[in-house]
């Protein structure tokens, strides 16, 4: 236990020093997790010492932040699921952690960037907050607003909000979020425009220079006309409607069989 | 969520018949009714016919409202022999009655059942416990006592382990869940339910299993644990032989899980099933209203506008008032009206747990707005769209219209250089989708037919007669075949015979 304590102190020092010693944190976290398992605190069950639990929660929270800083999303996912026990089952006995909502918010953003909207909403419903308090909590309202704007199509608002992240770690997701948005916008443009001037396309897609745009256009297979400086979107053509013969035959046979049974 | 007592719809007719019969000699007193019920349970156990037990349980909803401690006391006194242990334990749960009345009932007891009534079957005891439980739930002071009683009853049930008790056990489980919910300890009882559910499914005790799955779902959803609820649903199979009332509940909970997961079309089917299977609106108004609240929201989320007649329904009119306002706002596609309605009724939506769902409607409001514009204009500038829909900027409007075109909400295209939207023609209404829809409807009708054939009851042994007839026919045929082989018969005779 005493060894655990010294490791914990060391972790805190490494984490809070500016800039944090991420490499050291990583090795310390690995040791600490083994220590927690031995003490039965990683997946706590039953009644345990409350201060121990709070320390265990603290370690896992640092772990979650550490995973984001080292850009390791699967590891964040693991830390978050381990923290769930502390946040839900011991919510009444443990003092609330000030890192709880930042971490929950990060989890929401993660779901958003991975385009897991259904999970996003399920998680949102299970938050221990009344619905009208969501707007007042900066950590939660940020992802909630992002989701709303994404669904509406107000992409410029998402773009503008990327600098307003309530915590440092949120910015990590900004890049992948922007990638998602660009693809969304691109697919909208393909459907909604016949052609676009290069300059306007760059503004719509939030590109600052043309070479980036050209690279992107190439990836999506757009026809770029450099002399007229326009992009023409390949029409997917009026797809020929094919009659699903197999399906119709199968359905008709099924009807015939059923009718036979009735008559 | 409201406490909802439901009775299977198909039994109502039968009940009415019974009531009509009872009308002449006036309604029996609760005591008499309970006693006749105990006799019925006894018969059910001795003849192994669960039908009688079901008949008893059907009266539970009406009976529950009419019982009080006096009624229970006299019934227990009269039903059990004088110094039965069971009687004393049962009586101990009731508040001690004023001495005079209890003495009087004791006298009645001794005069009536001098010849020592035989001890009723344990099922009857559990049934009486159920009644006492419901009686204790009537006032908040006795909730603690009710929890104790429910615990003992469950233990007793599990110790007895009798298959003839299953229908009553299902009711007990529901009452236990209700007890804990009212006592505010719903989360603590979950392990008990989970283990009971396992046992019930191993014993093929369909009724208890259905009741327990519903109890668990209710408890998960009460604490917003949609993830766990979803896992439970995917890991269990809801028994198909469950009663309509349990099915209605199950579909309601399923609908709620699906709508959170944005699976609107499935949520819609589930809620519709719940409405169809629910008892008539007048009998269980609470359930009817609760389902309809979700139903309206889901319809809106799917982009449909609910029928106006729904909001004029006498049972729903008042309860759905706030939802009606929301529907109006969505229909007109006005964001500002939507926002004001939302903030005005926020408290009610919060209480109904539909707030987060209604917030999701915002994008539908915009979509409806754009669709209306695209129908009425053949060409409209982005600036005008922005003004009409109360959007923040033209830039937003462009993205939003672009998304609407991609999602297939409207047909049209944006001309960026001129800054306007050109609206195209509507899609033709023919194609493979039509045959798909048609196919779905035909399958539904055929399914309905097959289900009704399956649900028919045939008199026992009736098929024996047919079998005998068939045997005869076969024998005749054999004879005939033999004769043909022998060449005794020419073809004209065969034609004549058949």
């Amino acid at each position: 236990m005493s060894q655990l304590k010294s490791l914990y102190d060391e972790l805190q020092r490494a984490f809070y020093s500016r800039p944090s010693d991420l490499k050291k944190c990583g090795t310390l976290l690995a040791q600490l997790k083994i220590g927690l398992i031995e003490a039965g605190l990683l997946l706590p069950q039953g009644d345990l010492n409350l201060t121990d639990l709070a320390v265990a929660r603290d370690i896992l929270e640092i772990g979650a932040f550490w995973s984001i800083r080292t850009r390791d999303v699967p590891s964040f996912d693991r830390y978050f699921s381990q923290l769930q026990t502390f946040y839900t089952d011991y919510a009444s006995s443990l003092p609330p952690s000030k890192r709880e909502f930042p971490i929950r918010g990060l989890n929401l953003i993660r779901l958003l960037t991975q385009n897991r909207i259904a999970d996003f909403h399920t998680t949102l419903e299970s938050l221990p907050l009344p619905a009208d308090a969501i707007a007042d909590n900066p950590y939660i309202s940020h992802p909630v607003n992002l989701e709303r704007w994404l669904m509406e199509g107000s992409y410029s608002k998402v773009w503008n909000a990327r600098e307003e992240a309530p915590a440092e770690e949120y910015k990590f997701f900004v890049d992948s979020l922007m990638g998602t948005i660009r693809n969304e916008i691109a697919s909208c443009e393909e459907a909604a425009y016949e052609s676009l001037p290069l300059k306007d396309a760059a503004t719509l897609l939030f590109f600052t220079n043309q070479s980036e745009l050209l690279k992107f256009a190439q990836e999506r297979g757009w026809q770029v006309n450099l002399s007229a400086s326009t992009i023409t979107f390949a029409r997917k053509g009026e797809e020929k409607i094919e009659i699903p013969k197999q399906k119709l035959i199968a359905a008709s046979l099924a009807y015939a069989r059923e009718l036979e049974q009735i008559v | 969520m409201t406490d909802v007592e439901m009775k299977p719809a198909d039994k109502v007719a039968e009940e009415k018949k019974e009531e009509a019969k009872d009308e002449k000699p006036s309604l029996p007193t609760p005591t008499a009714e309970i006693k006749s019920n105990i006799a019925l349970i006894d018969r059910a156990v001795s003849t192994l016919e669960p039908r009688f037990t079901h008949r008893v349980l059907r009266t539970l909803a009406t009976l529950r409202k009419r019982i009080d401690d006096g009624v229970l006391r006299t019934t227990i006194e009269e039903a059990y022999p004088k110094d039965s242990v069971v009687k004393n334990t049962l009586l101990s749960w009731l508040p001690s009655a004023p001495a005079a009345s209890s003495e009087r009932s004791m006298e009645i007891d001794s005069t009536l059942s001098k010849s020592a009534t035989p001890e009723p079957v344990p099922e009857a005891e559990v049934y009486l416990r159920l009644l006492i439980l419901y009686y204790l739930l009537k006032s908040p002071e006795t909730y603690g006592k009710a929890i104790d009683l429910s615990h003992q009853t469950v233990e007793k049930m599990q110790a007895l382990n009798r298959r003839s008790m299953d229908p009553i056990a299902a009711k007990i489980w529901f009452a236990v869940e209700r007890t804990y919910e009212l006592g505010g300890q719903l989360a603590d009882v979950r392990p008990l339910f989970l283990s009971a559910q396992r046992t019930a499914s191993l014993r093929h005790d369909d009724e208890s299993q259905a009741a327990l799955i519903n109890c668990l779902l209710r408890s998960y959803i009460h604490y917003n644990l949609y993830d766990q609820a979803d896992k439970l649903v995917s890991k269990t199979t809801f028994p198909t032989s469950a009663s309509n009332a349990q099915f209605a509940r199950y579909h309601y909970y399923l609908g709620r899980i699906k709508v959170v997961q944005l699976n609107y079309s499935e949520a819609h089917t589930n809620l519709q099933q719940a409405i169809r299977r629910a008892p008539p609106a007048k009998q269980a108004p609470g359930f009817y209203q609760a389902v309809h609240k979700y139903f309206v929201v889901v319809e809106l989320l799917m982009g449909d506008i609910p029928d106006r007649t729904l909001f004029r329904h006498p049972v729903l009119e008042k309860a759905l008032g706030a939802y009606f306002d929301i529907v109006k706002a969505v229909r007109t596609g006005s964001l500002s009206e939507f926002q004001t309605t939302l903030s005005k009724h926020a408290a009610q939506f919060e209480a109904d747990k539909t707030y987060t769902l209604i917030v999701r409607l915002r994008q539908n409001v915009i979509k409806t707005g754009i669709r209306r514009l695209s129908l009425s204009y053949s060409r409209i500038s982005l600036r005008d769209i922005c003004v009409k829909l109360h959007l923040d900027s033209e830039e937003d409007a462009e993205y939003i219209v672009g998304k609407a075109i991609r999602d297939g909400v409207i047909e049209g295209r944006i001309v960026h250089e001129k800054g306007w939207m050109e609206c195209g023609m509507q899609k033709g209404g023919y194609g493979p989708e039509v045959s798909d829809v048609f196919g779905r409807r035909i399958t539904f009708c055929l399914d309905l037919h097959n289900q009704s054939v399956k649900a028919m009851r045939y008199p026992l042994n009736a098929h024996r007669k047919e079998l005998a007839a068939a045997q005869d026919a076969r024998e005749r045929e054999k004879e005939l075949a033999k004769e043909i082989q022998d060449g005794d018969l020419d073809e004209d005779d065969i034609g004549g015979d058949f």
Side-chain angles (χ1 to χ4, degrees):
Chain A
M1 214 57 185
S2 63
Q3 194 206 348
L4 214 59
K5 180 93 183 90
S6 66
L7 279 173
Y8 172 58
D9 288 338
E10 216 172 317
L11 176 70
Q12 271 187 324
R13 261 201 308 284
F15 185 72
Y16 289 115
S17 65
R18 298 263 152 206
S20 321
D21 190 346
L22 290 179
K23 212 168 162 197
K24 197 171 167 202
C25 281
T27 44
L28 283 174
L29 277 167
Q31 288 170 2
L32 273 167
K33 271 198 282 189
I34 296 168
L36 285 179
I37 293 168
E38 278 163 1
L41 285 166
L42 191 66
L43 296 163
Q45 273 176 336
D47 292 322
L48 287 159
N49 186 348
L50 283 187
T51 42
D52 285 355
L53 279 177
V55 168
R57 187 180 62 181
D58 215 37
I59 293 169
L60 291 176
E61 279 171 345
I62 291 178
F65 280 123
W66 169 81
S67 331
I68 298 285
R69 287 187 195 172
T70 52
R71 329 218 130 194
D72 186 356
V73 176
S75 151
F76 172 77
D77 199 12
R78 282 195 296 278
Y79 277 111
F80 185 75
S81 14
Q82 279 155 5
L83 277 167
Q84 285 282 28
T85 328
F86 294 92
Y87 289 154
T88 46
D89 299 342
Y90 289 93
S92 48
S93 44
L94 277 177
S97 153
K98 65 178 193 306
R99 294 207 199 92
E100 177 177 349
F101 284 105
I103 287 181
R104 280 181 187 272
L106 281 171
N107 183 45
L108 286 174
I109 296 241
R110 172 183 71 96
L111 293 174
L112 210 53
T113 47
Q114 292 171 345
N115 219 358
R116 286 160 62 183
I117 306 292
D119 290 327
F120 177 88
H121 280 283
T122 320
T123 320
L124 193 62
E125 290 285 338
S126 57
L127 282 184
L129 278 178
D132 47 353
I134 284 177
D136 303 330
N137 191 318
Y139 301 110
I140 303 299
S141 67
H142 184 69
V144 168
N145 281 333
L146 287 183
E147 191 266 350
R148 188 174 306 160
W149 292 328
L150 276 178
M151 287 297 118
E152 266 172 30
S154 316
Y155 298 119
S156 62
K157 281 190 188 147
V158 183
W159 179 254
N160 295 332
R162 75 189 188 285
E163 291 305 322
E164 296 161 17
E168 208 42 43
E169 280 77 12
Y170 281 62
K171 292 201 176 132
F172 162 68
F173 288 107
V174 164
D175 290 336
S176 52
L177 195 60
M178 287 307 127
T180 323
I181 295 179
R182 278 206 184 107
N183 280 321
E184 281 280 301
I185 298 176
S187 69
C188 289
E189 283 179 354
E190 278 163 17
Y193 301 91
E194 267 165 15
S195 67
L196 260 181
L198 273 179
K199 205 162 81 37
D200 293 329
T203 16
L204 282 174
L205 288 166
F206 310 110
F207 282 122
T208 44
N209 62 52
Q210 200 164 332
S211 61
E212 273 179 314
L213 174 68
L214 289 178
K215 200 168 148 241
F216 187 75
Q218 209 176 12
E219 271 168 29
R220 296 206 59 109
W222 294 341
Q223 291 166 359
V224 184
N225 188 341
L226 279 174
S227 57
S229 72
T230 51
I231 295 179
T232 319
F233 300 106
R235 269 268 147 220
K236 272 178 222 129
E238 293 305 305
E239 282 163 33
K240 260 198 200 156
I241 298 168
E242 216 170 297
I243 297 171
K245 302 180 205 91
Q246 286 285 339
K247 216 167 126 195
L248 283 178
I249 293 170
S252 309
L253 286 176
Y255 301 152
R257 201 175 51 239
E258 293 278 347
L259 281 175
E260 189 94 309
Q261 280 175 6
I262 295 172
V263 183
Chain B
M1 280 195 286
T2 32
D3 169 27
V4 189
E5 188 52 42
M6 295 193 291
K7 276 181 284 175
D10 53 332
K11 316 263 167 84
V12 174
E14 207 176 310
E15 226 162 73
K16 277 210 184 110
K17 217 164 59 195
E18 273 172 36
E19 268 169 37
K21 237 193 287 165
D22 288 342
E23 251 166 50
K24 268 174 230 156
S26 85
L27 222 60
T29 59
T31 324
E33 205 174 329
I34 297 173
K35 273 172 81 179
S36 74
N37 282 344
I38 291 175
L40 275 175
I41 291 175
D42 202 46
R43 205 156 115 209
V45 174
S46 55
T47 57
L48 289 176
E49 268 279 15
R51 215 148 42 85
F52 296 115
T53 320
H54 284 291
R55 202 153 113 204
V56 171
L57 295 174
R58 234 174 290 146
T59 59
L60 187 66
T62 39
L63 190 62
R64 208 177 92 182
K65 292 183 188 110
R66 288 161 57 206
I67 48 173
D68 54 41
D69 56 331
V71 170
L72 284 173
R73 182 172 298 280
T74 37
T75 325
I76 295 168
E77 299 274 9
E78 286 168 30
Y80 282 89
K82 202 163 175 198
D83 8 75
S84 139
V85 191
V86 179
K87 182 176 90 174
N88 292 333
T89 38
L90 282 178
L91 283 178
S92 70
W93 291 104
L94 294 166
S96 49
S101 77
S102 91
E103 237 167 64
R104 200 166 51 91
S105 60
M106 290 298 262
E107 273 164 39
I108 294 169
D109 181 28
S110 52
T111 47
L112 273 181
S113 50
K114 201 98 207 195
S115 50
T117 40
E119 181 122 351
V121 285
E123 279 80 2
E125 184 201 340
V126 175
Y127 174 67
L128 282 170
R129 277 168 178 267
L130 180 65
L131 289 178
I132 299 173
L133 200 57
Y134 273 120
Y135 163 72
L136 290 177
L137 285 180
K138 274 184 183 172
S139 74
E141 294 106 65
T142 43
Y143 286 165
K145 216 166 157 188
I147 288 178
D148 290 345
L149 173 62
S150 62
H151 249 295
Q152 282 207 4
T153 313
V154 167
E155 266 164 35
K156 190 149 194 119
M157 244 159 46
Q158 282 167 344
L160 283 167
N161 187 16
R162 286 163 69 114
R163 290 289 67 76
S164 47
M165 195 155 2
D166 290 348
I168 306 177
K171 289 279 171 191
I172 290 273
W173 283 116
F174 179 70
V176 170
E177 191 267 352
R178 193 71 198 133
T179 315
Y180 274 91
E181 191 181 340
L182 289 173
Q185 304 173 11
L186 196 51
D188 305 340
V189 78
R190 225 177 275 146
L192 176 69
F193 282 154
L194 281 170
S195 65
Q197 199 270 330
R198 273 197 300 275
T199 323
S201 73
L202 285 177
R203 285 180 187 154
H204 294 287
D205 174 2
D206 286 349
E207 275 134 302
S208 302
Q209 210 189 330
L212 281 163
I213 290 179
N214 278 335
C215 288
L216 279 166
L217 284 180
R218 187 184 172 90
S219 113
Y220 283 135
I221 290 178
H222 184 83
Y223 291 99
N224 287 332
L225 299 170
Y226 291 96
D227 225 16
Q228 279 94 319
D230 186 43
K231 287 202 181 102
L232 177 74
V233 169
S234 62
K235 294 276 186 296
T236 53
T237 40
F238 197 74
T240 40
S241 62
S243 72
N244 256 338
Q246 296 295 359
F247 253 117
R249 284 200 189 93
Y250 185 64
H251 280 298
Y252 168 65
Y253 295 134
L254 270 190
R256 286 190 59 176
I257 297 169
K258 297 283 183 234
V259 71
V260 168
Q261 296 173 335
L262 288 100
N263 195 343
Y264 300 133
S265 47
E266 257 186 55
H268 189 260
T269 7
N270 277 317
L271 290 172
Q272 208 160 33
Q273 280 296 322
I275 290 171
R276 286 191 189 141
R277 290 197 184 243
K282 287 267 163 39
Q283 278 183 12
F287 184 78
Y288 201 67
Q289 287 165 354
V291 181
H292 269 96
K293 281 173 187 168
Y294 277 92
F295 188 65
V296 168
V297 177
V298 169
E299 282 221 319
L300 286 176
L301 283 169
M302 288 175 72
D304 296 336
I305 302 292
D307 223 6
R308 203 187 173 99
T309 45
L310 192 71
F311 297 98
R312 292 212 200 93
H313 193 286
V315 176
L316 300 173
E317 198 176 8
K318 222 167 148 194
L320 293 185
Y323 294 86
F324 185 46
D325 290 344
I326 286 286
V327 172
K328 277 195 284 193
V330 174
R331 220 176 71 89
T332 49
S334 143
L335 263 186
S336 54
E337 194 186 327
F338 175 73
Q339 283 299 345
T340 45
T341 324
L342 182 62
S343 47
K344 194 170 124 203
H345 298 294
Q348 194 197 331
F349 296 145
E350 184 77 20
D352 294 340
K353 293 198 173 179
T354 50
Y355 188 86
T356 43
L357 298 179
I358 289 176
V359 173
R360 284 189 210 168
L361 275 174
R362 214 181 112 89
Q363 36 166 321
N364 286 54
V365 179
I366 296 175
K367 274 188 196 161
T368 329
I370 294 182
R371 195 186 307 169
R372 264 166 25 104
L373 288 177
S374 83
L375 289 179
S376 33
Y377 296 87
S378 62
R379 186 180 289 169
I380 182 169
S381 76
L382 292 171
R383 165 118 290 266
D384 285 340
I385 294 178
C386 190
V387 172
K388 279 186 198 298
L389 296 182
H390 306 280
L391 299 175
D392 293 338
S393 69
E394 249 173 272
E395 215 187 347
D396 274 344
E398 188 164 351
Y399 286 124
I400 289 170
V401 172
K403 192 170 154 66
I405 292 172
R406 190 200 56 177
D407 294 348
V409 179
I410 52 171
E411 286 277 299
R413 54 184 54 260
I414 304 170
V415 182
H416 185 80
E417 294 86 347
K418 310 244 169 66
W420 68 44
M421 171 180 92
E422 276 179 355
C423 309
M425 300 306 285
Q426 288 291 307
K427 258 192 222 158
Y430 288 96
E433 319 75 88
V434 183
S435 76
D436 262 1
V437 173
F438 191 53
R440 263 211 304 281
R441 290 186 189 172
I442 295 177
T443 338
F444 176 77
C445 291
L446 290 172
D447 247 14
L448 188 69
H449 173 267
N450 289 342
Q451 293 286 343
S452 358
V453 171
K454 265 189 213 161
M456 280 199 277
R457 276 187 96 167
Y458 298 98
L460 278 174
N461 299 337
H463 64 287
R464 291 260 169 83
K465 254 187 238 160
E466 271 172 47
L467 269 183
Q471 199 101 38
D472 277 356
R474 246 199 312 277
E475 252 157 47
R476 264 209 309 280
E477 213 172 312
K478 229 184 265 168
E479 248 168 62
L480 208 65
K482 209 171 144 211
E483 278 173 33
I484 293 171
Q485 259 185 356
D486 294 349
D488 286 353
L489 222 71
D490 54 28
E491 278 159 35
D492 289 352
D493 282 339
I494 307 168
D497 246 279
F498 278 83

